[in-house]
């Protein structure tokens, strides 16, 4: 006899399913919520359903949006000739936070990973190619901002093979030493890539 | 322009309010949920409301339950003459997991903490005293299983002063070196308490 309430047990199990939440944290969160006013719980519960109902993918860039086309693709201020390809909508948020990028995006919703059974057809590569082929304006540059790991590299190689024939300039974001960290603690591969990608001062 | 969806932003904010979840984790959880089938989201949402609606406090021990009296207080197998006083319902679950305790509980729902503005009247001390005074059977022992920190000690001192005049034996759980850890890494206070509480072999 561990829990004295089945409803609590169900709630704890539901929270345990979420990423980065273990059973102990799930219990702590559940107990916290049970102490909150009923209106707050209803609001939380409603915001879940509401987000799931309202959010869909942008017809152009596949980023999350509540309309047919996302705010970034609609914006007059963005350079439509520069497309940054990312794996997930979170990556768009991360890049937007830098306030450095003025182009538009394309969200793949994953990366090629044969080990996890994710093939090129499972992610939004077709949508990207359709976009490159069909758009009236000539694309100047495709920036590949994928995660620098095996799956990211595989996806970059695959995309490169497909896009190169179209004659569009393809770049990838720099791999190197993160700002604020120390050379001596950088791993060999990162350091090698940083040397390789050195720029003139 | 950080988020391209207001519903997502609201959901992220709701998750950020929960203990041990920061904004980044909240975003990760939200994105994970948006990829789940709508039935799963509805079930999760419903389990929140359901738990809040069904869970109340046991009329006897103040532990969480879905009935008037909790399963532990109702059980014929438990020794009603032994009451273990704990701060939170989670502590009952932790003690139940040991499978060592056969008495009943009393949940205070907090501890005395003047700095946080929590006075003896804010926690279930009155309910404990009413219970000790009114029950027909004589209580043999009160075990104080509160957290060994300043607020826990304050609460123990306060309870001791109130319960002592009733002539009931009061004990507290042992403070000492946790199993599996090493003496050399124990802090001074813990080590001092472990020495003080030494038992004959």
């Amino acid at each position: 006899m561990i829990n004295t309430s089945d409803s609590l047990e169900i709630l704890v199990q539901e929270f345990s399913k979420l990423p980065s939440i273990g059973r102990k944290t799930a219990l702590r969160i559940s107990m916290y919520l049970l102490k909150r006013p009923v209106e707050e719980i209803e609001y939380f519960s409603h915001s879940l359903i509401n987000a799931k109902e309202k959010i869909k993918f942008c017809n152009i860039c596949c980023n999350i949006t509540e309309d047919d086309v996302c705010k970034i693709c609609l914006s007059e201020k963005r350079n439509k000739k520069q497309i940054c390809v990312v794996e997930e909508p979170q990556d768009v948020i991360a890049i937007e936070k830098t306030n450095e990028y003025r182009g538009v995006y394309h969200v793949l919703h994953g990366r090629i990973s044969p080990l996890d059974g994710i093939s090129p057809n499972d992610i939004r590569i077709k949508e990207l190619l359709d976009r490159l082929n069909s758009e009236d304006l000539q694309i100047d540059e495709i920036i590949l901002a994928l995660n620098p790991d095996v799956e990211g590299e595989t996806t970059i190689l695959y995309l490169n093979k497909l896009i190169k024939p179209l004659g569009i300039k393809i770049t990838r974001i720099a791999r190197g030493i993160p700002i604020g960290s120390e050379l001596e603690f950088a791993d060999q591969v990162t350091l090698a890539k940083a040397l390789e990608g050195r720029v003139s001062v």
Side-chain angles (χ1 to χ4, degrees), chain A:
Chain A
M1 186 195 307
I2 297 291
N3 267 333
T4 45
S5 155
D6 294 336
S7 317
L8 177 67
E9 179 56 31
I10 290 171
L11 188 60
V12 171
Q13 278 175 9
E14 282 300 302
F15 272 111
S16 307
K17 286 178 192 167
L18 302 178
S20 65
I21 295 189
R23 199 180 152 87
K24 280 205 173 178
T25 310
L27 181 61
R28 212 164 125 212
I29 292 175
S30 303
M31 294 308 304
Y32 166 85
L33 282 173
L34 291 179
K35 288 187 177 178
R36 310 302 306 164
V38 68
E39 299 78 38
E40 265 187 46
I41 309 292
E42 277 168 358
Y43 184 74
F44 183 24
S45 172
H46 171 73
S47 66
L48 270 163
I49 300 280
N50 189 48
K52 181 69 185 173
E53 272 174 3
K54 288 215 179 131
I55 290 173
K56 42 191 179 177
F57 298 130
C58 171
N59 285 343
I60 299 174
C61 73
C62 305
N63 190 15
I64 46 173
T65 174
E66 295 184 19
D67 310 298
D68 290 334
V69 174
C70 78
K71 290 176 193 166
I72 295 175
C73 287
L74 277 180
S75 168
E76 293 284 316
K77 292 179 188 158
R78 312 294 295 229
N79 176 7
K80 303 288 180 347
K81 296 185 167 188
Q82 195 177 35
I83 299 180
C84 179
V85 178
V86 295
E87 294 179 12
E88 301 289 346
Q90 295 96 300
D91 302 329
V92 173
I93 298 174
I95 294 176
E96 283 298 285
K97 271 190 191 157
T98 66
N99 271 322
E100 289 290 336
Y101 182 63
R102 291 279 128 235
V104 292
Y105 294 92
H106 186 86
V107 183
L108 293 176
H109 290 278
R111 67 261 194 90
I112 301 171
S113 174
L115 283 177
D116 301 319
I118 301 171
S119 78
N121 295 330
D122 296 323
I123 61 177
R124 312 277 176 130
I125 290 179
K126 191 182 163 293
E127 285 83 347
L128 175 62
L129 292 177
D130 288 349
R131 187 173 168 192
L132 296 181
N133 286 319
S134 74
E135 276 195 32
D136 304 327
L137 73 172
Q138 177 63 38
I139 305 293
D140 285 340
E141 183 182 8
I142 300 276
I143 303 172
L144 301 176
L146 307 181
N147 288 326
D149 50 18
V150 178
E151 292 82 9
E153 293 299 325
T154 312
T155 313
I156 285 176
L157 284 174
Y158 187 86
L159 287 175
N160 193 37
K161 215 176 70 183
L162 289 177
I163 300 171
K164 206 117 215 181
L166 305 178
I168 301 170
K169 179 184 171 193
I170 311 175
T171 57
R172 57 177 298 163
I173 54 168
R175 293 163 297 180
I177 314 295
I179 310 302
S181 75
E182 291 175 51
L183 268 198
E184 89 180 280
F185 300 124
D187 65 284
Q188 294 161 359
V189 184
T190 302
L191 204 47
K193 291 293 174 191
L195 276 169
E196 193 184 307
R198 65 191 180 278
V199 289
S200 56
V201 185

